[in-house]
PDB file of all heavy atoms in Angstrom:
ATOM      1  N   GLY A   5       0.357  -7.166  12.315  1.00 83.00           N
ATOM      2  CA  GLY A   5       0.942  -5.870  11.950  1.00 83.00           C
ATOM      3  C   GLY A   5       1.436  -5.710  10.572  1.00 83.00           C
ATOM      4  O   GLY A   5       1.192  -4.768   9.880  1.00 83.00           O
ATOM      5  N   TYR A   6       2.123  -6.840  10.125  1.00 84.00           N
ATOM      6  CA  TYR A   6       2.552  -6.785   8.693  1.00 84.00           C
ATOM      7  C   TYR A   6       1.437  -6.869   7.729  1.00 84.00           C
ATOM      8  O   TYR A   6       1.407  -6.180   6.656  1.00 84.00           O
ATOM      9  CB  TYR A   6       3.545  -7.953   8.458  1.00 84.00           C
ATOM     10  CG  TYR A   6       4.858  -7.752   9.127  1.00 84.00           C
ATOM     11  CD1 TYR A   6       5.479  -8.834   9.763  1.00 84.00           C
ATOM     12  CD2 TYR A   6       5.543  -6.552   9.073  1.00 84.00           C
ATOM     13  CE1 TYR A   6       6.693  -8.579  10.425  1.00 84.00           C
ATOM     14  CE2 TYR A   6       6.752  -6.319   9.658  1.00 84.00           C
ATOM     15  CZ  TYR A   6       7.300  -7.406  10.396  1.00 84.00           C
ATOM     16  OH  TYR A   6       8.521  -7.240  11.008  1.00 84.00           O
ATOM     17  N   ALA A   7       0.368  -7.527   8.087  1.00 86.00           N
ATOM     18  CA  ALA A   7      -0.838  -7.682   7.240  1.00 86.00           C
ATOM     19  C   ALA A   7      -1.475  -6.292   7.128  1.00 86.00           C
ATOM     20  O   ALA A   7      -1.911  -5.914   6.008  1.00 86.00           O
ATOM     21  CB  ALA A   7      -1.800  -8.709   7.810  1.00 86.00           C
ATOM     22  N   ILE A   8      -1.610  -5.591   8.226  1.00 84.00           N
ATOM     23  CA  ILE A   8      -2.251  -4.283   8.250  1.00 84.00           C
ATOM     24  C   ILE A   8      -1.409  -3.241   7.428  1.00 84.00           C
ATOM     25  O   ILE A   8      -1.982  -2.373   6.759  1.00 84.00           O
ATOM     26  CB  ILE A   8      -2.576  -3.763   9.642  1.00 84.00           C
ATOM     27  CG1 ILE A   8      -3.686  -2.637   9.597  1.00 84.00           C
ATOM     28  CG2 ILE A   8      -1.370  -3.305  10.381  1.00 84.00           C
ATOM     29  CD1 ILE A   8      -5.018  -3.093   9.132  1.00 84.00           C
ATOM     30  N   VAL A   9      -0.079  -3.384   7.500  1.00 82.00           N
ATOM     31  CA  VAL A   9       0.753  -2.426   6.759  1.00 82.00           C
ATOM     32  C   VAL A   9       0.599  -2.685   5.246  1.00 82.00           C
ATOM     33  O   VAL A   9       0.482  -1.706   4.510  1.00 82.00           O
ATOM     34  CB  VAL A   9       2.174  -2.671   7.160  1.00 82.00           C
ATOM     35  CG1 VAL A   9       3.178  -2.071   6.131  1.00 82.00           C
ATOM     36  CG2 VAL A   9       2.493  -2.137   8.559  1.00 82.00           C
ATOM     37  N   ILE A  10       0.567  -3.897   4.836  1.00 84.00           N
ATOM     38  CA  ILE A  10       0.344  -4.214   3.407  1.00 84.00           C
ATOM     39  C   ILE A  10      -1.035  -3.763   2.962  1.00 84.00           C
ATOM     40  O   ILE A  10      -1.182  -3.091   1.924  1.00 84.00           O
ATOM     41  CB  ILE A  10       0.550  -5.758   3.172  1.00 84.00           C
ATOM     42  CG1 ILE A  10       1.984  -6.142   3.406  1.00 84.00           C
ATOM     43  CG2 ILE A  10       0.196  -6.054   1.707  1.00 84.00           C
ATOM     44  CD1 ILE A  10       2.199  -7.597   3.372  1.00 84.00           C
ATOM     45  N   PHE A  11      -2.041  -4.123   3.752  1.00 84.00           N
ATOM     46  CA  PHE A  11      -3.431  -3.753   3.417  1.00 84.00           C
ATOM     47  C   PHE A  11      -3.600  -2.222   3.353  1.00 84.00           C
ATOM     48  O   PHE A  11      -4.141  -1.737   2.287  1.00 84.00           O
ATOM     49  CB  PHE A  11      -4.342  -4.213   4.569  1.00 84.00           C
ATOM     50  CG  PHE A  11      -5.797  -3.926   4.388  1.00 84.00           C
ATOM     51  CD1 PHE A  11      -6.644  -4.675   3.591  1.00 84.00           C
ATOM     52  CD2 PHE A  11      -6.321  -2.809   5.088  1.00 84.00           C
ATOM     53  CE1 PHE A  11      -7.973  -4.335   3.449  1.00 84.00           C
ATOM     54  CE2 PHE A  11      -7.646  -2.439   4.882  1.00 84.00           C
ATOM     55  CZ  PHE A  11      -8.453  -3.204   4.100  1.00 84.00           C
ATOM     56  N   VAL A  12      -3.100  -1.468   4.300  1.00 80.00           N
ATOM     57  CA  VAL A  12      -3.358   0.025   4.225  1.00 80.00           C
ATOM     58  C   VAL A  12      -2.490   0.634   3.239  1.00 80.00           C
ATOM     59  O   VAL A  12      -2.948   1.570   2.527  1.00 80.00           O
ATOM     60  CB  VAL A  12      -2.991   0.597   5.676  1.00 80.00           C
ATOM     61  CG1 VAL A  12      -2.962   2.081   5.607  1.00 80.00           C
ATOM     62  CG2 VAL A  12      -3.988   0.086   6.667  1.00 80.00           C
ATOM     63  N   SER A  13      -1.284   0.152   2.966  1.00 79.00           N
ATOM     64  CA  SER A  13      -0.375   0.720   1.977  1.00 79.00           C
ATOM     65  C   SER A  13      -0.965   0.588   0.549  1.00 79.00           C
ATOM     66  O   SER A  13      -1.028   1.562  -0.215  1.00 79.00           O
ATOM     67  CB  SER A  13       1.021   0.105   2.020  1.00 79.00           C
ATOM     68  OG  SER A  13       1.807   0.629   1.039  1.00 79.00           O
ATOM     69  N   VAL A  14      -1.386  -0.619   0.261  1.00 80.00           N
ATOM     70  CA  VAL A  14      -1.995  -0.853  -1.099  1.00 80.00           C
ATOM     71  C   VAL A  14      -3.289  -0.058  -1.225  1.00 80.00           C
ATOM     72  O   VAL A  14      -3.498   0.568  -2.283  1.00 80.00           O
ATOM     73  CB  VAL A  14      -2.225  -2.319  -1.316  1.00 80.00           C
ATOM     74  CG1 VAL A  14      -2.999  -2.567  -2.610  1.00 80.00           C
ATOM     75  CG2 VAL A  14      -0.926  -3.094  -1.258  1.00 80.00           C
ATOM     76  N   LEU A  15      -4.144  -0.082  -0.206  1.00 78.00           N
ATOM     77  CA  LEU A  15      -5.433   0.560  -0.292  1.00 78.00           C
ATOM     78  C   LEU A  15      -5.247   2.120  -0.412  1.00 78.00           C
ATOM     79  O   LEU A  15      -5.923   2.772  -1.229  1.00 78.00           O
ATOM     80  CB  LEU A  15      -6.258   0.268   0.917  1.00 78.00           C
ATOM     81  CG  LEU A  15      -7.778   0.737   0.889  1.00 78.00           C
ATOM     82  CD1 LEU A  15      -8.522   0.148  -0.284  1.00 78.00           C
ATOM     83  CD2 LEU A  15      -8.462   0.380   2.137  1.00 78.00           C
ATOM     84  N   SER A  16      -4.346   2.711   0.393  1.00 72.00           N
ATOM     85  CA  SER A  16      -4.109   4.142   0.323  1.00 72.00           C
ATOM     86  C   SER A  16      -3.538   4.497  -1.042  1.00 72.00           C
ATOM     87  O   SER A  16      -3.889   5.521  -1.600  1.00 72.00           O
ATOM     88  CB  SER A  16      -3.095   4.518   1.432  1.00 72.00           C
ATOM     89  OG  SER A  16      -3.610   4.284   2.695  1.00 72.00           O
ATOM     90  N   SER A  17      -2.626   3.731  -1.571  1.00 73.00           N
ATOM     91  CA  SER A  17      -2.054   3.972  -2.904  1.00 73.00           C
ATOM     92  C   SER A  17      -3.122   3.982  -3.939  1.00 73.00           C
ATOM     93  O   SER A  17      -3.126   4.793  -4.891  1.00 73.00           O
ATOM     94  CB  SER A  17      -0.993   2.984  -3.231  1.00 73.00           C
ATOM     95  OG  SER A  17       0.131   3.100  -2.339  1.00 73.00           O
ATOM     96  N   PHE A  18      -4.066   3.074  -3.839  1.00 74.00           N
ATOM     97  CA  PHE A  18      -5.203   2.945  -4.838  1.00 74.00           C
ATOM     98  C   PHE A  18      -6.095   4.162  -4.715  1.00 74.00           C
ATOM     99  O   PHE A  18      -6.497   4.789  -5.660  1.00 74.00           O
ATOM    100  CB  PHE A  18      -5.933   1.625  -4.563  1.00 74.00           C
ATOM    101  CG  PHE A  18      -7.087   1.545  -5.457  1.00 74.00           C
ATOM    102  CD1 PHE A  18      -6.989   1.110  -6.833  1.00 74.00           C
ATOM    103  CD2 PHE A  18      -8.444   1.781  -5.006  1.00 74.00           C
ATOM    104  CE1 PHE A  18      -8.080   1.001  -7.614  1.00 74.00           C
ATOM    105  CE2 PHE A  18      -9.514   1.637  -5.815  1.00 74.00           C
ATOM    106  CZ  PHE A  18      -9.309   1.217  -7.180  1.00 74.00           C
ATOM    107  N   VAL A  19      -6.484   4.479  -3.483  1.00 67.00           N
ATOM    108  CA  VAL A  19      -7.434   5.628  -3.258  1.00 67.00           C
ATOM    109  C   VAL A  19      -6.798   6.932  -3.666  1.00 67.00           C
ATOM    110  O   VAL A  19      -7.501   7.781  -4.306  1.00 67.00           O
ATOM    111  CB  VAL A  19      -7.881   5.642  -1.803  1.00 67.00           C
ATOM    112  CG1 VAL A  19      -8.641   6.911  -1.475  1.00 67.00           C
ATOM    113  CG2 VAL A  19      -8.706   4.440  -1.428  1.00 67.00           C
ATOM    114  N   LEU A  20      -5.565   7.153  -3.352  1.00 65.00           N
ATOM    115  CA  LEU A  20      -4.920   8.405  -3.693  1.00 65.00           C
ATOM    116  C   LEU A  20      -4.289   8.379  -5.033  1.00 65.00           C
ATOM    117  O   LEU A  20      -3.600   9.429  -5.441  1.00 65.00           O
ATOM    118  CB  LEU A  20      -3.801   8.751  -2.651  1.00 65.00           C
ATOM    119  CG  LEU A  20      -4.289   8.865  -1.156  1.00 65.00           C
ATOM    120  CD1 LEU A  20      -3.113   9.033  -0.252  1.00 65.00           C
ATOM    121  CD2 LEU A  20      -5.253   9.983  -1.053  1.00 65.00           C
ATOM    122  N   GLU A  21      -4.395   7.294  -5.787  1.00 65.00           N
ATOM    123  CA  GLU A  21      -3.905   7.167  -7.182  1.00 65.00           C
ATOM    124  C   GLU A  21      -2.372   7.400  -7.144  1.00 65.00           C
ATOM    125  O   GLU A  21      -1.814   8.140  -7.976  1.00 65.00           O
ATOM    126  CB  GLU A  21      -4.608   8.103  -8.107  1.00 65.00           C
ATOM    127  CG  GLU A  21      -6.132   7.771  -8.237  1.00 65.00           C
ATOM    128  CD  GLU A  21      -6.798   8.689  -9.201  1.00 65.00           C
ATOM    129  OE1 GLU A  21      -6.121   9.663  -9.634  1.00 65.00           O
ATOM    130  OE2 GLU A  21      -8.007   8.436  -9.499  1.00 65.00           O
ATOM    131  N   ARG A  22      -1.733   6.722  -6.227  1.00 65.00           N
ATOM    132  CA  ARG A  22      -0.228   6.866  -6.139  1.00 65.00           C
ATOM    133  C   ARG A  22       0.357   5.496  -6.570  1.00 65.00           C
ATOM    134  O   ARG A  22      -0.288   4.491  -6.694  1.00 65.00           O
ATOM    135  CB  ARG A  22       0.192   7.259  -4.762  1.00 65.00           C
ATOM    136  CG  ARG A  22      -0.438   8.588  -4.305  1.00 65.00           C
ATOM    137  CD  ARG A  22      -0.262   8.776  -2.829  1.00 65.00           C
ATOM    138  NE  ARG A  22       1.149   9.023  -2.487  1.00 65.00           N
ATOM    139  CZ  ARG A  22       1.682  10.198  -2.308  1.00 65.00           C
ATOM    140  NH1 ARG A  22       0.972  11.272  -2.473  1.00 65.00           N
ATOM    141  NH2 ARG A  22       2.970  10.340  -2.026  1.00 65.00           N
ATOM    142  N   GLY A  23       1.711   5.512  -6.586  1.00 62.00           N
ATOM    143  CA  GLY A  23       2.392   4.221  -6.929  1.00 62.00           C
ATOM    144  C   GLY A  23       2.414   3.271  -5.781  1.00 62.00           C
ATOM    145  O   GLY A  23       2.317   3.720  -4.598  1.00 62.00           O
ATOM    146  N   PHE A  24       2.493   1.965  -6.113  1.00 63.00           N
ATOM    147  CA  PHE A  24       2.512   0.975  -5.051  1.00 63.00           C
ATOM    148  C   PHE A  24       3.920   0.685  -4.729  1.00 63.00           C
ATOM    149  O   PHE A  24       4.839   0.534  -5.594  1.00 63.00           O
ATOM    150  CB  PHE A  24       1.853  -0.327  -5.577  1.00 63.00           C
ATOM    151  CG  PHE A  24       0.387  -0.166  -5.924  1.00 63.00           C
ATOM    152  CD1 PHE A  24       0.059   0.008  -7.217  1.00 63.00           C
ATOM    153  CD2 PHE A  24      -0.559  -0.097  -4.917  1.00 63.00           C
ATOM    154  CE1 PHE A  24      -1.314   0.091  -7.613  1.00 63.00           C
ATOM    155  CE2 PHE A  24      -1.909   0.090  -5.275  1.00 63.00           C
ATOM    156  CZ  PHE A  24      -2.273   0.168  -6.639  1.00 63.00           C
ATOM    157  N   TYR A  25       4.241   0.576  -3.403  1.00 63.00           N
ATOM    158  CA  TYR A  25       5.611   0.373  -2.893  1.00 63.00           C
ATOM    159  C   TYR A  25       5.892  -1.155  -2.878  1.00 63.00           C
ATOM    160  O   TYR A  25       6.023  -1.801  -1.845  1.00 63.00           O
ATOM    161  CB  TYR A  25       5.784   0.998  -1.641  1.00 63.00           C
ATOM    162  CG  TYR A  25       5.755   2.536  -1.663  1.00 63.00           C
ATOM    163  CD1 TYR A  25       4.529   3.141  -1.541  1.00 63.00           C
ATOM    164  CD2 TYR A  25       6.815   3.283  -1.962  1.00 63.00           C
ATOM    165  CE1 TYR A  25       4.378   4.526  -1.647  1.00 63.00           C
ATOM    166  CE2 TYR A  25       6.780   4.697  -2.093  1.00 63.00           C
ATOM    167  CZ  TYR A  25       5.504   5.297  -2.008  1.00 63.00           C
ATOM    168  OH  TYR A  25       5.397   6.604  -2.085  1.00 63.00           O
ATOM    169  N   ASN A  26       5.956  -1.734  -4.142  1.00 63.00           N
ATOM    170  CA  ASN A  26       6.035  -3.196  -4.265  1.00 63.00           C
ATOM    171  C   ASN A  26       7.319  -3.794  -3.566  1.00 63.00           C
ATOM    172  O   ASN A  26       7.258  -4.836  -2.942  1.00 63.00           O
ATOM    173  CB  ASN A  26       5.966  -3.605  -5.697  1.00 63.00           C
ATOM    174  CG  ASN A  26       4.606  -3.401  -6.306  1.00 63.00           C
ATOM    175  OD1 ASN A  26       3.675  -2.888  -5.556  1.00 63.00           O
ATOM    176  ND2 ASN A  26       4.477  -3.622  -7.587  1.00 63.00           N
ATOM    177  N   ALA A  27       8.402  -3.064  -3.847  1.00 66.00           N
ATOM    178  CA  ALA A  27       9.679  -3.641  -3.336  1.00 66.00           C
ATOM    179  C   ALA A  27       9.619  -3.707  -1.789  1.00 66.00           C
ATOM    180  O   ALA A  27      10.024  -4.754  -1.219  1.00 66.00           O
ATOM    181  CB  ALA A  27      10.910  -2.833  -3.781  1.00 66.00           C
ATOM    182  N   GLN A  28       9.213  -2.712  -1.133  1.00 71.00           N
ATOM    183  CA  GLN A  28       9.182  -2.720   0.329  1.00 71.00           C
ATOM    184  C   GLN A  28       8.119  -3.692   0.845  1.00 71.00           C
ATOM    185  O   GLN A  28       8.389  -4.408   1.798  1.00 71.00           O
ATOM    186  CB  GLN A  28       8.895  -1.333   0.884  1.00 71.00           C
ATOM    187  CG  GLN A  28       9.996  -0.287   0.685  1.00 71.00           C
ATOM    188  CD  GLN A  28       9.985   0.420  -0.676  1.00 71.00           C
ATOM    189  OE1 GLN A  28       9.249  -0.038  -1.589  1.00 71.00           O
ATOM    190  NE2 GLN A  28      10.702   1.476  -0.824  1.00 71.00           N
ATOM    191  N   LEU A  29       6.994  -3.727   0.248  1.00 73.00           N
ATOM    192  CA  LEU A  29       5.916  -4.630   0.641  1.00 73.00           C
ATOM    193  C   LEU A  29       6.353  -6.077   0.432  1.00 73.00           C
ATOM    194  O   LEU A  29       5.994  -6.980   1.210  1.00 73.00           O
ATOM    195  CB  LEU A  29       4.652  -4.302  -0.072  1.00 73.00           C
ATOM    196  CG  LEU A  29       3.994  -2.937   0.220  1.00 73.00           C
ATOM    197  CD1 LEU A  29       2.783  -2.758  -0.588  1.00 73.00           C
ATOM    198  CD2 LEU A  29       3.682  -2.788   1.714  1.00 73.00           C
ATOM    199  N   ALA A  30       7.074  -6.307  -0.675  1.00 71.00           N
ATOM    200  CA  ALA A  30       7.509  -7.666  -0.949  1.00 71.00           C
ATOM    201  C   ALA A  30       8.505  -8.081   0.071  1.00 71.00           C
ATOM    202  O   ALA A  30       8.468  -9.268   0.557  1.00 71.00           O
ATOM    203  CB  ALA A  30       8.096  -7.760  -2.339  1.00 71.00           C
TER     204      ALA A  30
END
């Protein structure tokens, strides 16, 4: 579950050209 959250969050941010939520993902 944590892996899919990180995967989808980073990928969605890249596709939508938004900021990466590094603090939360870290």
Side-chain angles (χ1 to χ4, degrees):
Y6 289 136
I8 198 68
V9 166
I10 295 171
F11 176 85
V12 170
S13 179
V14 174
L15 188 60
S16 298
S17 297
F18 176 78
V19 171
L20 299 176
E21 298 181 352
R22 302 168 68 96
F24 300 102
Y25 295 88
N26 290 358
Q28 290 87 346
L29 296 179

